[in-house]
Amino acid sequence: MTEQGVRWTADQVLALAPDAASRTAGSRLGAAGPWSGAGSSGEGAVWGLCEGSGSTPYRTVVDVADVSGPAYHCSCPSRKFPCKHALGLLLLWSGGDGAVPRGEAPEWAEQWIAGRRRRAGQERAEGPSSSSGSAGPEAARRRAERRAERVTAGAVELEQRLADLLRGGLAAAEQSGYGLWEETAARMVDAQAPGLAARVRELGALAGTGPGGPVRLLEECALLHLLGRGWLRRERLPEGLAATVRSRIGLPAPADGPAIRDRWLVLAQYDTADSRLTTRRAWLYGADSGRTALLLSYGAAGRAPELSLPVGLALDAELSAYPGAGQPRAALGERFAPPAPTDVRPPGTTTARAAARYGEALRDDPWLDSVPVTLDRVVPAPDGDGWQLADADEDAALPLTPAARSRPGLWRLVALSGGAPVRVFGECGHQGFTPLAAWPEGPGEAVPLC
C-alpha cells in the first residue's frame, strides 16, 4: 500500500493480532460483506466503514507507510490493539481483488492520518528531551541510591525466607498454598524489586504441580538465591554480569549501546499476559549485521501494547542495545522507511549446536530461559506423546516445549514441512524448542507460527 505498491500477505496481517481471539474475529471481517466506503491511497493509508452492533458503522483507518508505523485507529470500544476491525480491513486490502480501490481519503480519515504524521515528524525533529539544570542528575542519583537500599533490604529478607523454607522442607511449603508465595512477592514489590517478585510468583505456580514439581521448585529456589546473592555482591562482579543482575532484579536502565542501522527482518511477534501486564516480544534479524535483537513493549492489563510489527517484512531502522552480558534486548530508534518485503533469511544451525549455544549463554546469564536460534534442515516428527525437530542430515533432535505443542502453529509447521526439511526460527531453552517462524526449502516467505 505504499508508493511502491507493496501489499502485505494475510499471514503478515494476522501476525499483528494481539491474541488468538482477535485473529479469529479479524479473519471473519476480512470479506467485503460488512464493509462500505473502503479505499486506499498511494501514500500508505487504508480506510473503511464496518457494520457493527450499533446503528453507526465503525470508522477504521490504518497507516502502513509512515516510518514510525504501522498505526491504527478505530471508533469501536475495543481495548485491543489492533482491533478486529483493523485486522479485517487489512485482510480485505491484502486480498488485492479490488475490494479496497485507490481513492481520496474521507475527511475523518485524512484528519487522523495528517495529524499522526505531523506529530511523528515533530518528534523526530525534536529528538529526545534533555533535562536542564544541575539538580536533575543529582536528584536522579539520590533516587537511585534510595532504591538500591530498598532492594538490598528486600534481597536480605528473601535470603532469610528461602533459608526458612529449606529448613522446613518443600512439602511444608506446598501445604501452605499460594498465599505464602504471594505474600513474599508483595514484600519484594515493596522493596522495588519487581524481578524478584516475578520469580517468587513463579515459585508459587510450581508448588503442587505433580511428581516433578519439588525438583523444579528446588532448582528455581537455587536460581532465586543466586540472584539475591548476586545483587548483594554486585560490586565484586564483572560489569557485564552486574548489569545482567540489575536487569534481572528489575532496575531500569537506558539502551546505551551504539545505534546500529540495518534492514531488520521481523522474525516473530507474540504476547504474554498476566493479571497486571501484557508483554509483547518481537524478534528481529539484521540483514547486514547478522545480529538478532529482541524488542519488548508493554500494555496495561487487558490492553495490547501499541508497538506492532508485520512479521516477514524488513525495517530500515536503528536499534540500540540494552546493557547486560549477552543480552539480545534492544530499543527501536529512528525508522527510515516503511516495512518492505525482503528475501533475507537468518542462517541456520543444527539442533546439537543450538543446545550448545544455550549452554554457552548460561555462563553470562544463569537465569536465561532461552536463546534465539534458527535451525536449518529440520523435520517436525512425533516423539511419543510429544513432538521434536529432527536434523535431516544428522542423528540428533530437539524436543518441542509443552507450550509449543499446545499451539496451532505446530500444525502449520507440520503442513509446511510435509515431511521435508524446513528452516525454523525459535527459542531454545531448558524445556526444549519453541518454533516461532519457518521457511520452506527454496523460495518462500516466512510463515508465522505464534
Side-chain angles (χ1 to χ4, degrees):
M1 181 45 49
T2 65
E3 291 179 347
Q4 291 77 22
V6 174
R7 286 183 185 268
W8 298 354
T9 66
D11 281 342
Q12 289 164 346
V13 171
L14 293 175
L16 300 171
D19 51 41
S22 298
R23 191 176 296 113
T24 301
S27 297
R28 295 195 187 103
L29 293 175
W35 292 96
S36 62
S40 64
S41 73
E43 289 74 37
V46 187
W47 60 84
L49 303 174
C50 186
E51 294 179 4
S53 56
S55 57
T56 304
Y58 297 125
R59 294 178 171 182
T60 307
V61 57
V62 182
D63 183 1
V64 299
D66 193 289
V67 294
S68 58
Y72 322 87
H73 175 75
C74 186
S75 60
C76 75
S78 174
R79 301 176 68 188
K80 296 181 179 180
F81 194 88
C83 68
K84 63 182 181 181
H85 305 101
L87 292 170
L89 178 61
L90 285 176
L91 286 173
L92 187 67
W93 161 70
S94 69
D97 57 0
V100 184
R102 287 288 181 94
E104 185 174 342
E107 182 179 2
W108 58 268
E110 181 59 36
Q111 287 180 350
W112 178 82
I113 296 166
R116 179 179 177 277
R117 293 181 178 176
R118 182 174 60 253
R119 290 190 299 271
Q122 289 173 349
E123 291 173 359
R124 289 194 295 273
E126 293 170 359
S129 59
S130 58
S131 57
S132 59
S134 59
E138 179 62 23
R141 184 188 63 79
R142 291 197 298 268
R143 287 195 299 270
E145 289 179 349
R146 289 195 296 268
R147 181 169 185 179
E149 292 172 357
R150 295 191 187 98
V151 173
T152 296
V156 170
E157 180 180 350
L158 180 61
E159 286 286 284
Q160 295 171 345
R161 293 192 176 214
L162 287 174
D164 293 341
L165 169 67
L166 295 178
R167 276 195 295 266
L170 297 182
E174 291 188 357
Q175 293 172 1
S176 301
Y178 191 75
L180 167 69
W181 307 104
E182 185 57 38
E183 192 269 337
T184 303
R187 295 290 297 159
M188 296 304 102
V189 172
D190 293 340
Q192 294 186 289
L196 292 178
R199 297 193 79 91
V200 169
R201 290 193 178 97
E202 291 175 2
L203 293 181
L206 287 175
T209 54
V215 174
R216 292 182 59 198
L217 184 59
L218 183 59
E219 292 172 346
E220 292 300 323
C221 282
L223 287 172
L224 187 56
H225 164 72
L226 182 65
L227 183 56
R229 298 302 293 178
W231 170 260
L232 295 174
R233 301 184 180 184
R234 60 193 181 279
E235 291 84 3
R236 307 180 192 178
L237 300 177
E239 178 50 38
L241 183 56
T244 297
V245 168
R246 290 192 292 267
S247 174
R248 293 296 182 185
I249 288 286
L251 298 184
D256 56 2
I260 300 176
R261 182 175 177 178
D262 206 335
R263 294 175 297 120
W264 298 96
L265 169 64
V266 184
L267 294 169
Q269 177 177 277
Y270 66 95
D271 293 353
T272 57
D274 56 28
S275 60
R276 300 168 179 80
L277 197 67
T278 298
T279 302
R280 174 164 293 168
R281 290 171 170 82
W283 285 106
L284 308 182
Y285 173 76
D288 300 322
S289 65
R291 299 184 59 167
T292 302
L294 174 65
L295 302 182
L296 295 180
S297 55
Y298 303 95
R303 295 186 65 92
E306 290 194 6
L307 179 63
S308 188
L309 302 175
V311 174
L313 298 185
L315 304 174
D316 181 3
E318 290 181 340
L319 264 61
S320 299
Y322 280 87
Q327 295 294 313
R329 188 186 174 193
L332 181 60
E334 184 176 355
R335 293 184 241 185
F336 302 95
T342 179
D343 56 1
V344 170
R345 298 183 183 184
T349 188
T350 64
T351 58
R353 182 58 191 146
R357 187 177 299 175
Y358 175 58
E360 293 164 0
L362 289 175
R363 292 181 301 189
D364 293 327
D365 185 354
W367 308 276
L368 189 64
D369 288 327
S370 61
V371 293
V373 173
T374 300
L375 302 175
D376 194 23
R377 291 185 54 76
V378 291
V379 180
D383 179 29
D385 295 332
W387 281 80
Q388 63 181 3
L389 291 177
D391 278 296
D393 305 315
E394 298 183 10
D395 187 17
L398 277 175
L400 296 189
T401 60
R405 297 198 299 266
S406 64
R407 291 177 177 174
L410 170 60
W411 304 112
R412 278 190 171 194
L413 177 60
V414 173
L416 177 69
S417 167
V422 291
R423 185 174 300 188
V424 183
F425 169 79
E427 298 167 350
C428 181
H430 60 93
Q431 292 188 335
F433 188 87
T434 301
L436 301 175
W439 298 261
E441 285 212 316
E445 296 179 334
V447 176
L449 304 176
C450 55

